[in-house]
Amino acid sequence: MQVICLDLEGVLVPEIWMEFADKTGIKELLATTRDIPDYKELMQQRLHFLDQHNLRLEDIRTVISSMSPLPGARNFLDQLRRQYQVIILSDTFYEFAGPLMEQLGWPTLFCHQLQVDQQGRVQDYVLRQADPKRNSVQALKKLNFTVYAAGDSYNDISMLDEADAGFLFKAPRNVVDQYPRFPLVTEYDELRQQFDNVQFRTVPEATGQQV
C-alpha cells in the first residue's frame, strides 16, 4: 500500500512568492526555501516586507488567481492518483492555495494557516506542526503505508529522508550539490516511472510477494 507525498511549489505549481515578487517589484520577496533553509527566518522576512509595503492578503490572492499549475502537472497528478494515494505536503497556506488546488483537481493538501487582521493584513502564521513534512511521512508509515516522496527545496529534505524512497524534482544546483544521495529527476514522466520502479522492487515481509 503506497502513498506518494509531493511538495507543491516548484513541483506542481510555480513559486507563489516569486510570482508575487515579480508582480510587485519587491525583489526581497524572491527568496524561497530553495535559498533560505530556515523557514522561520524566511517567513519573518516575508512578513516584514509585506508590512513595509502595506500589502494585504487580498493583494497576494489577486496574483495567485492569475497563476496556473506548471505545464503537465495536472495530467501527471491525475495519472498518479489512478494508481496511488497522493498527498501534497506544502509549506504554503490554505489562504493561498484554493485557486491552484481547484486547477489541480482538489488533491489532498496538508499545509499551514495565516493570521490575518480585520484589515486583511497578514500578522503572523501558524504551522500545522513542527517539521510537518517529516512528521506526516512518519505518521503514514505508522499506518503501514509505504511512502515515496518528491520535492525540490531545503524544506523537503526531512520528508525525503523519512520516505521509503525520495527524489529531488527540478531542484536547483545548490540543493542537488548538498544532497547528492537523492536521485535528481527533471520530467514528470521520469518521476512517475521512478515511483513505479520503486513499487515493483518493494517486497512485503509478510508474504514475500511483489506488490
Side-chain angles (χ1 to χ4, degrees):
M1 293 174 282
Q2 297 84 21
V3 172
I4 290 179
C5 294
L6 299 174
D7 180 36
L8 179 64
E9 295 178 66
V11 174
L12 297 172
V13 306
E15 294 282 351
I16 291 172
W17 288 98
M18 291 183 70
E19 190 77 11
F20 187 63
D22 182 61
K23 289 290 193 294
T24 60
I26 304 171
K27 61 179 176 41
E28 292 87 355
L29 291 175
L30 287 170
T32 71
T33 50
R34 290 176 166 211
D35 310 299
I36 301 177
D38 188 322
Y39 185 72
K40 181 178 180 180
E41 176 187 346
L42 177 62
M43 280 304 302
Q44 288 177 337
Q45 176 175 300
R46 289 167 169 171
L47 293 177
H48 168 75
F49 286 110
L50 289 179
D51 183 64
Q52 184 180 73
H53 292 273
N54 197 31
L55 292 164
R56 291 168 165 76
L57 176 60
E58 192 57 37
D59 299 310
I60 305 173
R61 283 176 166 168
T62 297
V63 172
I64 295 171
S65 67
S66 70
M67 295 172 61
S68 299
L70 295 172
R74 173 63 188 267
N75 183 59
F76 165 71
L77 198 55
D78 286 346
Q79 290 181 358
L80 278 188
R81 293 169 73 185
R82 293 188 186 103
Q83 187 171 351
Y84 304 95
Q85 299 300 308
V86 179
I87 298 174
I88 310 301
L89 301 181
S90 175
D91 278 324
T92 192
F93 304 94
Y94 288 114
E95 292 83 359
F96 289 179
L100 293 167
M101 292 299 99
E102 182 176 9
Q103 294 181 71
L104 289 171
W106 296 109
T108 299
L109 171 67
F110 295 170
C111 62
H112 309 304
Q113 289 186 308
L114 294 171
Q115 291 183 339
V116 183
D117 68 16
Q118 292 183 344
Q119 288 71 47
R121 297 170 69 93
V122 181
Q123 298 294 301
D124 206 347
Y125 64 97
V126 179
L127 294 180
R128 182 171 54 81
Q129 63 181 147
D131 201 357
K133 296 189 180 188
R134 181 194 299 274
N135 284 316
S136 295
V137 173
Q138 287 179 339
L140 289 166
K141 291 168 72 174
K142 287 179 181 178
L143 293 172
N144 206 30
F145 286 105
T146 299
V147 182
Y148 313 143
D152 70 319
S153 301
Y154 287 115
N155 67 326
D156 297 314
I157 298 304
S158 65
M159 171 178 73
L160 303 186
D161 272 331
E162 189 64 36
D164 295 284
F167 303 90
L168 288 171
F169 182 73
K170 293 186 177 181
R173 179 47 54 187
N174 56 307
V175 176
V176 173
D177 288 345
Q178 194 166 343
Y179 297 98
R181 63 183 178 273
F182 300 116
L184 174 64
V185 183
T186 59
E187 301 295 336
Y188 289 127
D189 286 345
E190 181 186 0
L191 182 57
R192 191 179 70 250
Q193 187 62 53
Q194 290 279 11
F195 290 145
D196 291 344
N197 288 343
V198 173
Q199 176 189 354
F200 290 117
R201 290 199 301 269
T202 302
V203 180
E205 294 180 3
T207 63
Q209 298 294 317
Q210 286 191 330
V211 296

